[in-house]
Amino acid sequence: MMLGKDILHAARGLRKSPGFTTTAVVTVALGIGASTAIFSVVNAVLLQPLPYPDAGRLALIESDMRHRNVVDFPFSAPDFDDMCHANTQFQELAGIVTGRAVVRDDAGDPEMIRNAAVTTNFLRILGARVVLGRDFIDADSTPPPPAPPPAAGVAAAAPPPPVPAMAILSDDLWKRRYGGDPRVIGRSIDFGGGKAQIVGVLEPGFELLFPPRAGVERLPEIWTAFRINFAARGPNDGRNNVFLHLVGRLKPGATFATAQSEEDRFAADLRRRFSIKDTAGTYIRVEPMRQHIVAEVRPAILALMGAVIFLLLIACANVANLLLVRAGTRGRELAVRAALGGARWDLVRQMLAEVLMLASMGAIAGLGLASLGISLLSYLGPRNLPRLNEVAINLPVLGFTAVATLLAATVFGVLPALRASRPDIMDVLRASGRNTGLGSGSLLRNTVVTAEVALSFVLLVGCGLMLRSFYALTHVDPGFQADHLLTFLMPGSPQLRMPEQRAAFMNDFRNRLRTLPGVVSVSASSTIPLDGSNPLARWGTPEAATDLSKFHQGYFYFVAPGYFDTLGTKLLAGRAFSDADNAVGVHRVIIDDMVAKKAFPHESAIGQRLLCRVTTPEAENFEVIGVVQHQRHESLAADGHEDLYLPDGYVGFGAAARYAIRTQGDPMQLAPLVRAEAAKVDKTLALSEVRPETYYVDRGQAQTRFALVLIGLFAVIAALLAAVGLYGVLASAVRQRTAEIGVRIALGAEPVSILRLVVGQGMRLSGIGIVLGLAAAFELTRVMSSMLVGVKPADPATFAAMAIVFLALAGFASWLPARRAAGLDPSNALREE
């Protein structure tokens, strides 16, 4: 009954003060909405269990080459086989490699799809359900038997028809390409140049969650079973052919620590048995799957959560100041109620009812803002943010909102309620006029504003650092010119089995593209900058042949002639590849300036020899014919590994399947013409990922832009709230000191001195807050280190610039009430008092 009366009384009181109510609700909504939106990301990415059964026992097993600064390196088939035999901690170990391939059948046009080749137990380990047909079985991995050698004097028989690989379709591909037809089971398709037989269809929504730098496709559309004899040993024991990413499920009773100890022993055995493992510094990491997936993004998400908590605290401080001012103006009302026998608890309860109503209305509005914020997060989210599609307002997020609302109400409501519930009855009743009570609580209001300024300044510094980072990122020289560059992926036809056929096809197709209107130049490469594919291989000077520690790890690319001109990459020395270089068996290499400085620091690299281990079991000798500017392939924020370029002919042509076309105008206007030209050459060709290179550059800036937009938005809101709080305190002080100011003016005080009086008070509060904020920012901005580019967390220029910006804002917020005070009519001011 009492609660109902308190709520009705609170509703009437708030309705009578629409300006105060609106301001308080909007302020709370901003704090609750922003914190709810960011918590929805924290919940989906960091807190929710992975969408796999018993996911807490899943581990990712990765190889690191510590001496070469390489992490998350894949395993070879013999390494995997040895690990399985030495395993005592995992129920099962499984491997996967993903890529792109073309599917061809009569269900539709040739289509480039994402594919995954896996060990037969892979889907079972992750708990993926096959809803039509069957899962892989061990027999699916049996390699086809080799053809028997012909008997002496007998002509060799025709080879038997190839045994098709077993394939499982994703639900999306099954419905999109085959119309959800259950008769697809048993159907044969031409896939990646070979035959595959469809044996099953996966459940909807199944996805792979691996760290972005592992390069594992999130949504494979066709799954095939490896047909590899993992126990077989090839040249050099097959250890150089690395391609497998591993996942394991711990046995009951096993822990990640015991599994790590076992893999430490296994890695030590590999280093003892193979000198290349020892010189590379091969170690193996066993990490909980969820922890490893979010390792790259955790610091940024936690920094954003810290920023939004600051914003919520600032919003609470602002509302607390509003309530203190409101309580001051209601001092006479509260004193009368106390004089008539109202208990202090009754007064506190009634004021808390107002606070809870304000917080509840703010929370409801905040959920609406959070919904809009989640849409913004989904749009701006970087590609390395896993599970972004799962960010939503769900029960855990609603629970957070409820708790945040109660805590916010406690923070901004309890102190003002307690302060207002104990008025000095005699002093208040003896006083008169509308300013009664404004003087009480001024120290508390000043303290709250100082805290607001300090918190806001920390956010402003964070925003300044992100601005500096984004500026550096947009002005970095990536080693290529992204404007007017169209790129697309197009593997050749599987009918072109001989290198000569593939070379002729590629030359003919490039020549056709050069004739299109607006085309400046055309080339191709195995990968283009920032597309997410960066194949690592080994290189070294000739000394590495006898001293394996001289080998380094670098990115290797197969390119067609004209690649550097088309990409706009500077040739620093020597020459680029010619048509004569692009031939089978030619061992020539072009290196970037990072390789040149490391390998030949005091002499010209042109004509020197390098050892490169790319596709052969052992490293081969290559002649350096050119040095080019380093391209940032992995990230715009860092140089990454060194780049080495081989002619496409070295691997028999066709590896350079990513085409690049330099145009005079908008590159996307050329896309329909490119598709039409490809269809003229061969209707079975499948073009995909037809995009301007600026798409990849924009994606490379996404993470920094994401943090900048959010922290910048929080900082602007926080600074405005702090300025409003400062304005409110000074406006209250002016109203409280109206008589004093009137006397000063009557005695001849100049308006400038009144301005100095009020503005000085505001600047003193701001100065104290900025000093406190400086001390906090020096410590707190360290958590932003992984988000910054080209600037240090404790950058003096940024700190100074943000201090000037905030002082200017504080000066404006102080000037508004100061101008009102300087313009007071002394007779009216004294008459009012």
Side-chain angles (χ1 to χ4, degrees):
M1 183 65 112
M2 295 297 294
L3 177 62
K5 288 183 178 179
D6 289 337
I7 292 175
L8 287 174
H9 185 273
R12 285 196 297 269
L14 294 176
R15 191 168 58 246
K16 291 178 181 177
S17 305
F20 162 79
T21 303
T22 301
T23 303
V25 169
V26 169
T27 302
V28 173
L30 288 171
I32 293 292
S35 57
T36 298
I38 296 300
F39 180 78
S40 68
V41 177
V42 173
N43 178 61
V45 177
L46 300 185
L47 302 181
Q48 286 296 308
L50 297 177
Y52 308 126
D54 200 9
R57 290 167 51 208
L58 289 175
L60 292 179
I61 302 102
E62 301 287 0
S63 172
D64 296 340
M65 293 188 288
R66 297 183 182 177
H67 296 169
R68 297 181 187 164
N69 194 31
V70 175
V71 297
D72 293 351
F73 199 60
F75 290 86
S76 66
D79 287 343
F80 173 68
D81 184 63
D82 287 351
M83 185 184 294
C84 289
H85 282 91
N87 168 52
T88 64
Q89 298 297 306
F90 292 97
Q91 280 185 341
E92 288 185 282
L93 292 167
I96 182 173
V97 61
T98 63
R100 303 291 175 93
V102 178
V103 60
R104 295 177 172 89
D105 58 15
D106 57 7
D109 294 333
E111 182 180 357
M112 179 75 70
I113 56 91
R114 300 177 296 272
N115 68 292
V118 296
T119 53
T120 55
N121 61 343
F122 185 88
L123 295 174
R124 182 172 65 247
I125 284 182
L126 293 187
R129 293 187 306 110
V130 175
V131 295
L132 181 67
R134 66 168 176 84
D135 195 353
F136 295 127
I137 57 176
D138 290 343
D140 294 337
S141 65
T142 304
V154 179
V163 178
M166 299 297 110
I168 294 177
L169 306 183
S170 71
D171 178 78
D172 178 69
L173 183 66
W174 176 51
K175 291 176 179 175
R176 186 183 76 244
R177 187 172 180 88
Y178 302 101
D181 185 356
R183 293 173 297 179
V184 74
I185 301 301
R187 184 170 181 167
S188 179
I189 57 174
D190 186 325
F191 172 64
K195 293 292 183 180
Q197 180 181 342
I198 300 171
V199 298
V201 176
L202 270 185
E203 63 182 325
F206 181 75
E207 62 179 340
L208 293 176
L209 296 173
F210 276 72
R213 63 172 173 245
V216 175
E217 295 283 356
R218 187 172 65 89
L219 297 169
E221 296 169 288
I222 291 185
W223 303 73
T224 56
F226 280 125
R227 295 196 299 165
I228 298 174
N229 185 354
F230 286 94
R233 300 293 189 261
N236 194 36
D237 206 28
R239 305 283 164 172
N240 287 335
N241 185 16
V242 294
F243 58 95
L244 281 170
H245 291 279
L246 305 186
V247 62
R249 182 177 289 277
L250 291 173
K251 290 181 177 179
T255 66
F256 290 101
T258 58
Q260 182 64 65
S261 297
E262 180 171 87
E263 299 311 327
D264 286 343
R265 293 191 295 272
F266 176 71
D269 182 59
L270 287 179
R271 295 193 300 272
R272 178 184 58 79
R273 292 163 53 200
F274 303 100
S275 56
I276 192 65
K277 304 280 189 182
D278 186 44
T279 55
T282 298
Y283 287 80
I284 296 174
R285 280 181 295 111
V286 178
E287 295 198 22
M289 195 174 197
R290 186 178 73 176
Q291 175 181 311
H292 193 34
I293 289 168
V294 300
E296 289 184 40
V297 299
R298 182 186 289 111
I301 292 177
L302 293 180
L304 289 173
M305 194 65 205
V308 84
I309 288 174
F310 272 31
L311 179 62
L312 182 59
L313 289 174
I314 292 165
C316 291
N318 204 274
V319 176
N321 247 328
L322 290 173
L323 288 170
L324 285 169
V325 172
R326 177 174 166 80
T329 61
R330 296 173 64 188
R332 189 173 183 80
E333 171 203 339
L334 296 173
V336 169
R337 294 177 64 181
L340 293 176
R344 184 184 182 192
W345 167 241
D346 293 334
L347 300 179
V348 170
R349 194 182 64 240
Q350 289 174 3
M351 295 195 70
L352 287 179
E354 285 190 5
V355 167
L356 287 173
M357 285 198 70
L358 289 173
S360 299
M361 289 188 289
I364 293 171
L367 283 173
L369 292 176
S371 180
L372 294 175
I374 289 173
S375 300
L376 177 66
L377 293 173
S378 299
Y379 176 74
L380 292 175
R383 68 185 179 92
N384 69 334
L385 188 61
R387 309 179 73 180
L388 187 61
N389 59 315
E390 298 178 31
V391 176
I393 296 178
N394 48 28
L395 283 178
V397 174
L398 289 174
F400 168 83
T401 303
V403 172
T405 301
L406 288 174
L407 290 176
T410 302
V411 170
F412 69 67
V414 170
L415 279 177
L418 293 175
R419 186 73 183 83
S421 66
R422 51 179 184 184
D424 189 324
I425 297 174
M426 297 307 297
D427 284 348
V428 172
L429 293 179
R430 274 198 298 268
S432 63
R434 60 182 176 84
N435 292 331
T436 301
L438 277 172
S440 63
S442 59
L443 177 60
L444 181 57
R445 292 200 300 274
N446 291 346
T447 301
V448 170
V449 166
T450 302
E452 278 190 81
V453 171
L455 294 172
S456 301
F457 183 72
V458 173
L459 284 182
L460 271 180
V461 169
C463 177
L465 291 173
M466 291 310 305
L467 275 171
R468 291 281 303 275
S469 294
F470 192 70
Y471 179 83
L473 205 59
T474 55
H475 286 76
V476 70
D477 184 357
F480 58 91
Q481 297 173 15
D483 293 338
H484 306 295
L485 194 62
L486 181 70
T487 68
F488 60 91
L489 176 62
M490 192 192 75
S493 169
Q495 306 303 320
L496 305 175
R497 301 188 181 277
M498 301 303 293
E500 299 81 7
Q501 294 174 313
R502 291 192 292 271
F505 163 79
M506 294 182 69
N507 287 333
D508 177 56
F509 185 57
R510 288 200 305 273
N511 289 333
R512 286 173 174 268
L513 294 178
R514 290 188 185 103
T515 65
L516 295 177
V519 171
V520 177
S521 61
V522 179
S523 190
S525 175
S526 54
T527 181
I528 57 172
L530 305 175
D531 71 351
S533 176
N534 298 295
L536 278 167
R538 201 165 71 236
W539 70 270
T541 54
E543 290 82 2
T546 54
D547 183 357
L548 296 177
S549 66
K550 301 289 187 182
F551 274 114
H552 307 276
Q553 216 71 18
Y555 293 138
F556 278 76
Y557 309 101
F558 303 103
V559 301
Y563 172 76
F564 302 109
D565 283 340
T566 302
L567 268 288
T569 298
K570 296 176 184 176
L571 180 67
L572 304 178
R575 63 179 179 86
F577 290 127
S578 65
D579 290 332
D581 299 312
N582 195 31
V584 176
V586 173
H587 284 58
R588 297 185 182 121
V589 63
I590 293 175
I591 62 177
D592 71 359
D593 49 348
M594 289 177 61
V595 176
K597 290 175 184 176
K598 183 177 287 187
F600 314 107
H602 306 300
E603 54 187 327
S604 171
I606 305 304
Q608 301 283 358
R609 311 296 294 184
L610 277 183
L611 287 171
C612 301
R613 211 297 295 175
V614 187
T615 60
T616 54
E618 296 297 333
E620 296 182 308
N621 268 296
F622 286 78
E623 177 191 359
V624 178
I625 65 169
V627 178
V628 295
Q629 180 185 6
H630 174 71
Q631 293 180 349
R632 293 196 174 191
H633 276 260
E634 184 178 0
S635 165
L636 288 172
D639 285 330
H641 287 280
E642 303 88 28
D643 299 332
L644 298 95
Y645 303 90
L646 304 178
D648 187 40
Y650 171 74
V651 285
F653 302 98
R658 283 196 177 270
Y659 287 79
I661 305 177
R662 173 72 57 188
T663 68
Q664 293 175 339
D666 180 3
M668 288 307 294
Q669 291 184 354
L670 199 65
L673 298 179
V674 171
R675 293 185 185 276
E677 206 62 40
K680 291 178 184 177
V681 175
D682 187 343
K683 291 183 179 180
T684 67
L685 295 176
L687 272 71
S688 65
E689 301 176 27
V690 183
R691 295 165 178 158
E693 177 64 16
T694 51
Y695 165 86
Y696 297 102
V697 173
D698 185 69
R699 194 173 68 176
Q701 297 170 347
Q703 182 170 347
T704 302
R705 183 173 57 246
F706 177 71
L708 168 62
V709 169
L710 294 183
I711 292 180
L713 183 62
F714 299 157
V716 169
I717 294 173
L720 290 176
L721 288 177
V724 169
L726 181 63
Y727 168 83
V729 165
L730 295 178
S732 298
V734 168
R735 288 197 300 271
Q736 172 194 342
R737 300 173 67 179
T738 298
E740 174 195 341
I741 293 171
V743 170
R744 286 173 179 264
I745 294 175
L747 294 176
E750 294 292 332
V752 173
S753 65
I754 303 299
L755 280 171
R756 278 201 303 266
L757 177 69
V758 179
V759 172
Q761 182 180 355
M763 299 308 283
R764 279 194 299 276
L765 292 175
S766 300
I768 295 171
I770 287 175
V771 169
L772 294 175
L774 277 170
F778 271 114
E779 294 298 322
L780 295 175
T781 51
R782 293 179 184 177
V783 302
M784 298 177 62
S785 297
S786 64
M787 304 162 63
L788 302 180
V789 179
V791 62
K792 296 181 179 179
D795 179 57
T798 302
F799 277 64
M802 291 302 104
I804 293 171
V805 168
F806 200 93
L807 285 174
L809 183 64
F812 180 73
S814 304
W815 175 77
L816 292 174
R819 188 183 67 161
R820 177 179 176 275
L824 282 175
D825 185 327
S827 59
N828 289 338
L830 294 172
R831 190 179 302 114
E832 272 191 41
E833 294 300 319

